[in-house]
Amino acid sequence: MSAPGLAAPLRAAILDQQRPAPPLESANQEGRCACAPIRRDRAVGAGLHSEWPRGSECACAQTTPGARPSAQTHGYRLLPLPGSGDMNPVVVVHGGAGSRVSQDREERVREGVARAAAAGYRVLTEGGSALDAVESAVAALEDDPEFNAGCGSVLNVNGEVEMDASIMSGKDLSSGAVSAVRCIANPIRLARLVMEKTPHCLLTGLGAAEFAAAMGVPAVPGEQLVTERRRKHLEREKQKEAQNPDQPKDLGTVGAVALDSRGDVAYATSTGGIVNKMVGRVGDTPCVGSGGYADNAIGAVSTTGHGESILKVNLARLALFHVERGTWTRACRLETREQAVCEQREERHWTRRRRCRWVT
């Protein structure tokens, strides 16, 4: 296969931040690269990270001692290794998709997202980790009543707040999550504690509440998390469902992804769920692979939308799967449960029993 044919897009979130790699110093006297494979399609040299095709020689092979392999010759780009301190920090924040924002709220919502992004970026510029940055950004959104998380969460059928959150580090794939939690101002911080202080990945309901108390997380009165706007929202939703049970619900989940100067990525996602939901309903947000995913070798994703639909395809990990395969330029959207639409005219491909067809 020719070099251009091997040139798959790599790590979308990292490539744009790439700086020129230093000269390769790991070539031995025979002119062979001393790289050692660490995963099925990656190799690591001294200060370099290069992608190479499964079952082939390393992209750095047959270089002369001290020489830098040609990315043009091999068809691959060399990336600074995580931990090299050679990345420009980035944070991306979303305030949720699918919710209708009235004109009187539009500016407040925009300012809230900007404040959250600034909070996360401040952490990064001060040398903090991607994990710290996404936690700070999402906590800021949880503290803002304009968003469906924390004190702005929508209400369940009984008029109560139940929240979900998850967080993940791309450095070692460690994660923590909580679901159906009540009386907690910042579920994302509790999810971080689950990740760091327990051998588990997810705690729910009463168990999560007991853990929060053991960790000294202050409980807040449930009514403190309920806003008047959300009460009216629930009343309207119940009236709509009485008239039309299939009426689409407003959706909203907040989240953030970040890349720090060491090359580590992370995600955080938090939500109050769907308005007028059944008590105990849990969506995609606390489910790693659906509500979000982070892997230094690929990138980071935080999802928002209809949780039950996202869960069916493990959307976050599926998106990164296509990034990893080099198919991320084919921006696919689910059109029906059985069909997907490929919005770019490239060769046909398959995704978990869904076939892409051309958009005409």
Side-chain angles (χ1 to χ4, degrees), residues 24-37 43-46 52 55-69 74:
L24 180 68
E25 298 177 353
S26 61
N28 60 25
Q29 296 303 315
E30 287 75 28
R32 304 285 295 180
C33 174
C35 292
V44 173
W52 51 298
S56 72
E57 290 185 327
C58 171
C60 303
Q62 300 178 350
T63 59
T64 56
R68 177 183 172 184
H74 293 288

Side-chain angles (χ1 to χ4, degrees), residues 24-274:
L24 180 68
E25 298 177 353
S26 61
N28 60 25
Q29 296 303 315
E30 287 75 28
R32 304 285 295 180
C33 174
C35 292
I38 57 169
R39 296 181 68 172
R40 72 180 187 191
D41 56 355
R42 279 177 282 277
V44 173
L48 294 178
H49 185 185
S50 62
E51 297 279 344
W52 51 298
R54 198 183 320 167
S56 72
E57 290 185 327
C58 171
C60 303
Q62 300 178 350
T63 59
T64 56
R68 177 183 172 184
S70 168
Q72 183 176 5
T73 300
H74 293 288
Y76 286 84
R77 301 178 71 177
L78 301 177
L79 309 177
L81 273 172
S84 65
D86 210 22
M87 296 289 183
N88 294 325
V90 176
V91 62
V92 180
V93 174
H94 71 79
S99 297
R100 293 183 292 273
V101 179
S102 59
Q103 289 186 346
D104 62 309
R105 292 182 54 232
E106 186 173 338
E107 189 59 32
R108 296 197 299 272
V109 169
R110 193 186 307 275
E111 290 175 356
V113 171
R115 282 194 299 270
Y121 192 68
R122 190 180 307 116
V123 171
L124 294 175
T125 55
E126 293 174 354
S129 68
L131 204 60
D132 294 333
V134 295
E135 180 185 358
S136 295
V138 169
L141 294 171
E142 291 175 335
D143 292 337
D144 192 326
E146 295 297 330
F147 299 95
N148 181 16
C151 67
S153 296
V154 297
L155 308 181
N156 65 18
V157 66
N158 290 344
E160 302 162 331
V161 169
E162 291 182 310
M163 301 164 289
D164 307 326
S166 65
I167 191 169
M168 183 175 187
S169 169
K171 182 178 180 180
D172 57 5
L173 305 186
S174 59
S175 66
V178 292
S179 66
V181 296
R182 305 178 180 216
C183 303
I184 299 293
N186 296 111
I188 196 62
R189 298 201 186 280
L190 183 58
R192 176 84 181 264
L193 289 173
V194 171
M195 180 180 73
E196 296 181 341
K197 303 297 184 180
T198 79
H200 309 303
C201 294
L202 171 63
L203 294 179
T204 189
L206 179 60
E210 292 176 348
F211 172 71
M215 290 291 103
V217 177
V220 299
E223 285 297 311
Q224 185 175 318
L225 299 176
V226 178
T227 64
E228 186 59 29
R229 184 169 71 87
R230 291 306 189 188
R231 284 196 182 96
K232 293 179 179 179
H233 187 190
L234 177 62
E235 292 174 3
R236 291 195 306 270
E237 194 66 29
K238 287 185 175 182
Q239 292 173 2
K240 289 179 183 178
E241 289 198 7
Q243 298 170 1
N244 181 8
D246 296 326
Q247 174 77 20
K249 297 178 182 291
D250 284 350
L251 308 172
T253 297
V254 303
V257 295
L259 167 71
D260 62 32
S261 60
R262 292 171 288 278
D264 297 327
V265 298
Y267 94 84
T269 309
S270 181
T271 188
I274 297 177

